Amino acid sequence: MNIKLRNRFNGLEARATSGITERGDNQRINLSAIAGRDFADGRGNITIAGMYETVKGMVQNDRDFYRDNLGSLLNPTTAEAARFGPAGRTPANDGRVNPNIGFNDSTTDGFPGSVLVRDLSIASMAYGGLIIAPAGATSLRSLDYARQFDQFGNLVAFNPGTVF
C-alpha cells in the first residue's frame, strides 16, 4: 500500500458527494475541504482541512423482505405439531412459506428438518414486559392469555404472532 501525504498544500480544494439507495432510503452526504497557503517567503505553510459526513441509515423494517420476519425453524413431526398446537395445525396454516413441505416424521419422508417461516418472532418478548399464563400452563398457547405493557404503560393483550 502506498500512501502519499501532502506536505505543503497551496490553494483550496472542496468535494461534495451524496447518494441514496434505489429504494429512496439510506441517504449519505459527504463534504470535505482543504485550504493551504505558504507564508514568510515559503519558509512556512498553514493548511486546514475538514470533513463532514452523515448517513441517515435504515432499520430492518425499511425492507419488505425483513418486515416479513422470515426465519428458519425446526420442522416438527406430526405428533409434535398436535401436542404443541394450535388445534388443527397443518403445514398449510402454521406459517411456513412453502405449505407443500409436510411435517418431518422420518429421515426418509423427503421433508427437511427445518423450514422457512413467516412472521418469526420471539414469542416471549414484548415491548414493556410480558405477563404470561399462570405456572403449570401446559402448552405454548398459554401465550393466548398473556398481557404486555405498551409504550404508555397500559396493560394490553399480547399478540405472539404465529406460534409455530
Side-chain angles (χ1 to χ4, degrees):
M1 176 167 81
N2 293 329
I3 298 175
K4 184 176 178 182
L5 301 176
R6 295 179 176 179
N7 57 5
R8 294 187 73 87
F9 187 80
N10 281 293
L12 173 67
E13 184 179 297
R15 293 181 184 180
T17 59
S18 69
I20 196 164
T21 69
E22 61 189 26
R23 295 178 185 232
D25 56 13
N26 200 20
Q27 180 184 23
R28 176 182 294 251
I29 298 172
N30 179 284
L31 306 170
S32 63
I34 184 171
R37 179 181 175 132
D38 284 336
F39 62 91
D41 294 323
R43 292 183 302 223
N45 178 279
I46 185 165
T47 302
I48 298 173
M51 182 182 84
Y52 169 79
E53 182 170 36
T54 182
V55 179
K56 296 292 182 183
M58 54 181 281
V59 295
Q60 181 173 341
N61 289 356
D62 289 339
R63 297 282 193 260
D64 55 354
F65 52 87
Y66 287 127
R67 276 194 305 272
D68 289 340
N69 290 331
L70 297 177
S72 180
L73 290 176
L74 290 176
N75 188 8
T77 65
T78 302
E80 290 168 336
R83 178 176 176 211
F84 293 114
R89 177 182 179 179
T90 69
N93 67 13
D94 71 356
R96 60 186 71 207
V97 172
N98 184 349
N100 296 319
I101 297 175
F103 294 125
N104 185 25
D105 289 327
S106 75
T107 57
T108 60
D109 63 9
F111 295 125
S114 62
V115 290
L116 194 60
V117 178
R118 285 186 187 89
D119 194 22
L120 181 63
S121 61
I122 300 173
S124 61
M125 293 185 68
Y127 175 78
L130 181 64
I131 301 171
I132 59 172
T138 58
S139 82
L140 293 176
R141 298 314 301 171
S142 63
L143 289 173
D144 288 340
Y145 307 104
R147 300 290 180 260
Q148 73 179 35
F149 293 100
D150 66 12
Q151 65 266 33
F152 306 108
N154 301 311
L155 192 60
V156 297
F158 173 68
N159 178 0
T162 302
V163 177
F164 185 79

